[in-house]
Amino acid sequence: MDFSYTILIPLIPLALFLVLGLFSKKIPASISGWLGSLGLGTSFVLSLYTAYHYFLNGKLEGVYQTFIYKTTWLQFTDKLHIDLGVLIDPISVMMMVVVTTVSFMVHIYSRGYMHGDDGYTRFFAYLALFSFSMLGLVLATNLFQMYIFWELVGASSFLLIGYYYTKPSAVAAAKKAFIVTRFADLGFLLGILLISYYTGTFDFQDLTSEEGMLITGWGASASFMGLSVFTWGLILIYMGGVGKSAMLPFHIWLPDAMEGPTPVSALIHAATMVVAGVYLVARLFPAYYFVEDGFALQVVAYVGALSSLVAALIAVTQTDIKRVLAFSTMSQIGYMMLALGVSKYEGHEGLGYMASMFHLFTHAMFKALLFLGAGSVIHAVHSNYMKDMGSLRKYMPITHITFLIASLSIAGFPGFSGFFSKDEILVAAFESNKLIYFSSVLVAGLTAFYMFRLYFGIFWGEDKQYKHAPHESPLTMTIPLIFLAFMSIFAGYIPFSQFVTADLTPFTAHLDLPLAAIASTVGIIGILLAYVFYKKPNNLPEKFANAFGLVYKWIYNKLYFDELYIFITKKILFGIVAFSASWFDKKVVDSSMIGIGNVTVSISNKIKGMQSGKLQDYAMAFVGGSVVLAMIVFYILIN
């Protein structure tokens, strides 16, 4: 089978970026929107074509094969070199479908949402750059190629978050996202350098196959603080994933990133960029699992579980609808991470891996739908805050129904896609780690509560007296909503374990009815509580907020993580470390250098008369010196 044509899938968005970026002032807005949509539509069709042929014909003796097309770019040694190319296997094919599907829908939606914006063509150029970067990341054949596109994703994210560059809060959010993720990516780079030094390769094929290299012996010759260097390398690489996927403690950039246009939130911060960390761990999963009995994988599991719980708690208290969805994203990404962390490798034991990829797929659909639905609401009422919304179901029936479908899906309501993928994660957690399982069940209840708090607050609640009556969004915005709503219902019926598994061998996954019943019951309780609290105006939310007092205040203020970082940077790094370094530089280093210079100048002023340029002075000095020398010699001789 020949999949070399897949290089066109990322190259089409790259061509779009160059054309729209270079000629943004000359291309009419209407044409740029159509060009962007047509280009991503082509990549979308090619991705579906690839998925169809790969999953239909890509197996050999019951195992999905890996197809690699690459060329050497930089040669360091006989073994160590950097290649550029494409890698086709189940997770890269699945991710291509996710990225192009969501990107295509966002392009269509943006034609309506961004209509009349001064930077319309520039916006589509940025979208194309992001799509190219993300597709390049998922098709990478080696760690270094992935890192190149990883940073390109960060750069394009910076451009899109700060799209409204005249708005100070948007500029600050873009800088915050860029700086925080750069700190995390430093760990990623160090991990790449460590692993490549000890293994002599960047290639995923060598790093994840026992045939290419004996996995259990990797880095065994060198250790640090009781762990092999290879394990430290994997933990450092995961640090990059923690930053990109907004896990604790590098999550602080994600809520602020909502300053970008809402289609950006749907594309970057719901379905594609934030799952790059999950994809990174999945790509290197055999290494994470086999090296030192999966110690690094345990780190993945606990960071994911803690992030999921903390984000769900914070989402319960937020009033900006995009920030609720941002913390919801963080929570669901935590689900995917913990599923990878509790997974084993072969057959049904690799259920966690399959469940993580399954939830990545379904989450992309219903979370993109939630963000685009939120954008439709904001487009109608010109506000992000729940206090300015209410009873919008009367004015926006399509947005209402599609948002309800997405809310039911993320809440894990039986029959919707989120129910199936979340159930598999809970089963994997139950079989591996009971503490993580119970935490995940609690998160399921919190998810249902905060999503229906959002739903009832927007579409039911108080019947507001709007200054301008809201109206349904245009077709360019509602068509993507309808398509994603369809996917949010039916994506869960895909037999995912037949396509994406840790060992590339399909297996049959069954619904665990007792565990599914527990999770569904908890979710339904969360929905009912939201119904009681927010279906009609009442003072219950205020009573409970007051009852929890200090706890509610801490959660509402996001556990003061931002304040902690500001304290560390301003008070400690800038106020103590940087101030001390600056004082030492000015008072000691600069002063000593200035002092040496001043002494030199003073001495030179005193002795510069010796070089007056006058002949009589030189003659007097000569004669005087001769007399002194003669007297010294005479004194020595007579003694």
Side-chain angles (χ1 to χ4, degrees):
M1 296 180 69
D2 182 15
F3 291 103
S4 58
Y5 67 87
T6 52
I7 190 65
L8 294 173
I9 296 174
L11 288 182
I12 291 171
L14 175 61
L16 280 171
F17 166 68
L18 294 174
V19 171
L20 296 176
L22 292 174
F23 304 103
S24 61
K25 299 295 184 183
K26 298 180 180 179
I27 300 175
S30 57
I31 294 177
S32 62
W34 277 109
L35 272 177
S37 300
L38 183 63
L40 263 296
T42 305
S43 291
F44 170 62
V45 171
L46 285 174
S47 297
L48 292 181
Y49 176 80
T50 302
Y52 175 77
H53 281 280
Y54 179 80
F55 289 119
L56 190 67
N57 305 307
K59 281 189 288 190
L60 180 64
E61 297 179 355
V63 178
Y64 283 108
Q65 300 301 294
T66 299
F67 300 89
I68 299 176
Y69 306 91
K70 62 184 180 181
T71 183
T72 299
W73 179 40
L74 295 175
Q75 186 87 36
F76 297 118
T77 67
D78 292 341
K79 291 183 178 180
L80 189 61
H81 51 85
I82 298 176
D83 299 327
L84 293 178
V86 296
L87 185 156
I88 302 298
D89 71 348
I91 59 171
S92 66
V93 172
M94 182 269 294
M95 281 297 293
M96 275 196 298
V97 172
V98 167
V99 173
T100 55
T101 300
V102 176
S103 185
F104 182 40
M105 291 299 109
V106 166
H107 273 75
I108 295 173
Y109 181 92
S110 298
R111 289 185 58 248
Y113 189 88
M114 301 299 291
H115 180 70
D117 190 272
D118 292 338
Y120 188 85
T121 301
R122 175 170 57 91
F123 179 78
F124 278 93
Y126 290 169
L127 285 184
L129 176 62
F130 175 82
S131 301
F132 160 69
S133 305
M134 194 66 205
L135 287 166
L137 187 155
V138 302
L139 291 171
T141 64
N142 59 79
L143 272 172
F144 212 95
Q145 181 185 347
M146 178 179 275
Y147 186 76
I148 293 170
F149 285 100
W150 190 274
E151 295 306 313
L152 270 175
V153 166
S156 51
S157 170
F158 171 81
L159 293 172
L160 285 165
I161 295 170
Y163 173 75
Y164 297 120
Y165 58 86
T166 58
K167 188 178 177 184
S169 58
V171 174
K175 290 191 291 185
K176 185 177 183 180
F178 194 78
I179 292 169
V180 171
T181 52
R182 290 297 72 71
F183 274 102
D185 291 351
L186 175 62
F188 189 5
L189 180 59
L190 290 174
I192 292 173
L193 296 176
L194 271 178
I195 288 178
S196 63
Y197 178 80
Y198 282 95
T199 64
T201 183
F202 294 113
D203 284 357
F204 290 129
Q205 192 75 349
D206 292 331
L207 292 171
T208 57
S209 66
E210 291 184 88
E211 295 79 11
M213 193 169 289
L214 295 175
I215 294 177
T216 53
W218 283 344
S221 59
S223 62
F224 176 70
M225 293 179 65
L227 296 174
S228 70
V229 169
F230 199 88
T231 298
W232 281 113
L234 291 173
I235 292 173
L236 286 168
I237 285 175
Y238 179 56
M239 181 177 168
V242 167
K244 197 70 82 185
S245 292
M247 297 286 96
L248 289 169
F250 295 114
H251 66 288
I252 59 170
W253 66 268
L254 187 61
D256 295 72
M258 298 302 110
E259 290 291 341
T262 302
V264 171
S265 303
L267 178 61
I268 296 180
H269 310 118
T272 54
M273 189 186 89
V274 288
V275 299
V278 180
Y279 179 76
L280 174 62
V281 176
R283 172 57 68 204
L284 290 170
F285 184 77
Y288 276 95
Y289 179 72
F290 284 108
V291 173
E292 292 198 74
D293 297 323
F295 180 88
L297 205 58
Q298 294 178 42
V299 175
V300 173
Y302 283 105
V303 170
L306 183 60
S307 299
S308 182
L309 179 58
V310 168
L313 288 170
I314 295 174
V316 169
T317 65
Q318 300 303 296
T319 56
D320 181 328
I321 64 173
K322 287 177 67 177
R323 286 178 182 255
V324 173
L325 296 178
F327 282 107
S328 170
T329 298
M330 176 182 166
S331 182
Q332 297 301 304
I333 300 294
Y335 255 1
M336 299 172 207
M337 287 291 194
L338 73 87
L340 287 172
V342 300
S343 180
K344 293 182 173 57
Y345 186 68
E346 293 182 353
H348 193 275
E349 291 187 337
L351 178 65
Y353 179 96
M354 185 280 295
S356 177
M357 297 298 99
F358 192 13
H359 198 58
L360 188 157
F361 185 83
T362 59
H363 174 265
M365 304 306 159
F366 58 68
K367 185 53 66 64
L369 174 56
L370 286 168
F371 267 109
L372 295 183
S376 182
V377 169
I378 293 167
H379 186 263
V381 301
H382 307 290
S383 173
N384 287 25
Y385 292 93
M386 290 172 61
K387 65 182 178 61
D388 300 321
M389 303 169 189
S391 295
L392 285 175
R393 71 189 187 283
K394 301 175 183 177
Y395 308 96
M396 310 177 71
I398 297 176
T399 302
H400 168 232
I401 295 299
T402 54
F403 198 94
L404 175 60
I405 289 170
S407 299
L408 288 168
S409 188
I410 194 174
F413 195 83
F416 292 80
S417 63
F419 165 77
F420 297 100
S421 57
K422 188 178 290 187
D423 177 69
E424 301 291 8
I425 291 175
L426 294 174
V427 171
F430 181 80
E431 293 176 351
S432 178
N433 188 312
K434 296 297 190 294
L435 177 62
I436 290 179
Y437 167 74
F438 287 117
S439 170
S440 300
V441 171
L442 174 59
V443 170
L446 290 170
T447 302
F449 177 77
Y450 68 66
M451 279 313 308
F452 276 85
R453 167 181 177 261
L454 198 62
Y455 165 73
F456 288 124
I458 296 171
F459 296 103
W460 295 82
E462 185 180 353
D463 192 354
K464 303 286 184 180
Q465 298 299 316
Y466 296 101
K467 185 176 181 180
H468 300 288
H471 57 83
E472 187 58 270
S473 299
L475 277 176
T476 52
M477 294 171 66
T478 54
I479 288 174
L481 296 181
I482 294 168
F483 175 83
L484 290 170
F486 177 85
M487 293 297 295
S488 297
I489 297 172
F490 296 106
Y493 294 93
I494 297 172
F496 222 75
S497 61
Q498 294 296 312
F499 303 115
V500 179
T501 59
D503 61 355
L504 304 179
T505 304
F507 67 87
T508 302
H510 299 286
L511 187 67
D512 190 309
L513 289 176
L515 293 182
I518 293 172
S520 296
T521 302
V522 171
I524 290 170
I525 291 172
I527 293 172
L528 291 175
L529 284 174
Y531 178 88
V532 172
F533 275 65
Y534 298 101
K535 171 67 164 51
K536 295 179 180 179
N538 60 71
N539 61 353
L540 280 176
E542 187 179 350
K543 280 186 176 180
F544 270 77
N546 293 333
F548 283 97
L550 190 61
V551 174
Y552 179 86
K553 182 181 177 182
W554 271 71
I555 295 174
Y556 177 77
N557 288 288
K558 297 165 282 189
L559 303 183
Y560 293 99
F561 267 99
D562 286 275
E563 288 77 6
L564 176 62
Y565 275 105
I566 290 172
F567 173 78
I568 291 171
T569 52
K570 286 192 173 182
K571 299 294 185 182
I572 298 177
L573 294 180
F574 296 159
I576 298 175
V577 178
F579 176 80
S580 300
S582 176
W583 182 91
F584 182 81
D585 183 56
K586 291 177 180 178
K587 301 297 184 182
V588 179
V589 178
D590 286 356
S591 295
S592 61
M593 294 300 103
I594 292 170
I596 291 171
N598 290 337
V599 169
T600 303
V601 171
S602 178
I603 293 172
S604 68
N605 285 331
K606 294 183 184 303
I607 65 173
K608 66 182 179 181
M610 297 172 61
Q611 296 289 336
S612 65
K614 298 177 180 179
L615 184 60
Q616 60 269 32
D617 289 343
Y618 297 153
M620 184 176 289
F622 176 76
V623 172
S626 299
V627 171
V628 172
L629 287 173
M631 291 176 67
I632 292 172
V633 171
F634 180 74
Y635 177 79
I636 293 172
L637 289 175
I638 65 174
N639 288 298

